[in-house]
Amino acid sequence: MLEAILLVGGQGTRLRPVTVNTPKPMVRAAGVPFLAHQIARAAAAGVTHIVMATCYLAEVFEPYFGDGSAFGVSLEYVVEDEPLGTGGAIRNAAQRLTGGPDSSVLVFNGDILTGLDITGLVDSHRAAAADVSLHLVRVEDPRAFGLVPTDPEGRVLAFTEKPQTPEEIITDQINAGCYVFRRSVIDSIPAGRPVSVERETFPGLLASGARLHGVTENTYWLDLGKPESFVQASADLVRGVVPSPAVPGPRGESLVLPGAEVAAGAKLSGGTVVGAGARIAAGAVVEGSIVLDDAVIGPDTQVRASLIGVGASVGTRTVLDGAVLGDGAVVGSDNELRAGARVWCGAELPSAAVRFSSDRS
């Protein structure tokens, strides 16, 4: 039996307005809540019991996932009254674990898409007799992440959380947000207060002589904190760049869910997903985007690398490139929104109100 703690309590502020009404792990990627992909991959790796550590909009998780039986796991839910940080959330969720002090517990963040070999990580943890094992990946620019240098045998040497100076960048290996803990280590985390595993738990364990093991696996890895990353992750799931048993259809250039309407002459590509009840009009070109349930894309529109919220609508000839529309937003005809533009939930943008080029372009 392998148990896991899934950290899904964050507010997803960098993804707003999409997360105003929906917690980030429940925003749909490739047709289902992103969390469904993580649970499905964990189940495929032999995880049988998952404790979900929730906080923000905690009430929305259980109605969708229930007891987990439909996903092949046993699911339980623990709610934080106040945010406890990564370490505090792990400690709080541990009350529902059933394994003994030497059992292995998988812990992963609810906003990371990865092709990690979960079974391999757990096996490596056990073979190293580690107290904690961390999945590490190499990135070109590690400044926004926690740096984790290791020796040739994989033993962790230090932790530098989000380095501020060039001198602090001593490795390109970063903390990839998936861990295996010895259960007794989780029980040593202080209870009832906020704790950061990155800034407090891991450095403290290292200082005390605990064995921290790093497993560097250069597989697909993407932090879904920003809208452009979330959209990219969905497109990669649809196209099969990273596999997931939870994708509700064949891999390809697009995924159209039951109940959606795509007019003849509309073009879908790049891993676009069209949600249930959504409508794509004739002449529309939608590339690498997420169109959520009941949204409407008008005639002759161009939508690229964008996220269209539930029930939002886009008018005729409008161009969206790297834009985000919140639930129920209305963008009139002949607008042009590019490069990270966000329209808030329920907002209405009149026709021809915003352009990034002249009216003769």
Side-chain angles (χ1 to χ4, degrees), residues 106-107 112-117 121 132-138 146 148 173-180 213-222:
L106 179 71
V107 177
I112 300 292
L113 178 61
T114 176
L116 169 68
D117 176 5
L121 178 66
V132 182
S133 293
L134 300 86
H135 174 216
L136 309 177
V137 296
R138 290 189 169 93
V148 187
Q173 291 180 169
I174 67 164
N175 178 354
C178 184
Y179 322 112
V180 184
H213 181 62
V215 177
T216 304
E217 182 178 327
N218 290 318
T219 183
Y220 183 102
W221 184 86
L222 193 60

Side-chain angles (χ1 to χ4, degrees), residues 99-334:
D102 289 327
S103 62
S104 300
V105 181
L106 179 71
V107 177
F108 51 113
N109 290 326
D111 58 358
I112 300 292
L113 178 61
T114 176
L116 169 68
D117 176 5
I118 296 173
T119 302
L121 178 66
V122 175
D123 290 345
S124 178
H125 168 79
R126 291 171 174 165
D131 294 300
V132 182
S133 293
L134 300 86
H135 174 216
L136 309 177
V137 296
R138 290 189 169 93
V139 297
E140 290 186 8
D141 184 358
R143 289 175 295 175
F145 305 99
L147 309 189
V148 187
T150 56
D151 70 13
E153 285 72 47
R155 186 153 192 155
V156 173
L157 301 175
F159 289 93
T160 302
E161 189 63 19
K162 296 181 180 177
Q164 301 299 310
T165 65
E167 292 75 21
E168 291 180 295
I169 302 176
I170 57 176
T171 181
D172 60 355
Q173 291 180 169
I174 67 164
N175 178 354
C178 184
Y179 322 112
V180 184
F181 278 78
R182 189 190 304 273
R183 168 64 193 273
S184 60
V185 174
I186 295 177
D187 292 337
S188 72
I189 298 173
R193 70 169 176 85
V195 179
S196 166
V197 292
E198 299 87 357
R199 291 183 168 87
E200 181 176 347
T201 304
F202 292 156
L205 287 169
L206 199 60
S208 71
R211 182 172 182 81
L212 275 67
H213 181 62
V215 177
T216 304
E217 182 178 327
N218 290 318
T219 183
Y220 183 102
W221 184 86
L222 193 60
D223 179 342
L224 275 61
K226 297 180 179 179
E228 58 267 29
S229 299
F230 196 95
V231 172
Q232 182 66 55
S234 177
D236 287 345
L237 285 161
V238 171
R239 293 185 298 135
V241 174
V242 56
S244 167
V247 176
R251 312 304 184 261
E253 286 297 297
S254 64
L255 173 65
V256 179
L257 297 187
E261 298 179 11
V262 179
K267 296 180 181 179
L268 309 179
S269 65
T272 289
V273 58
V274 182
R279 289 179 289 141
I280 312 295
V285 177
V286 186
E287 177 187 352
S289 296
I290 301 172
V291 181
L292 292 176
D293 294 0
D294 300 316
V296 177
I297 306 298
D300 301 319
T301 56
Q302 297 179 44
V303 180
R304 193 190 75 81
S306 296
L307 201 166
I308 314 301
V310 174
S313 66
V314 182
T316 304
R317 294 179 302 277
T318 282
V319 175
L320 303 180
D321 191 342
V324 179
L325 307 190
D327 298 344
V330 177
V331 176
S333 301
D334 298 304

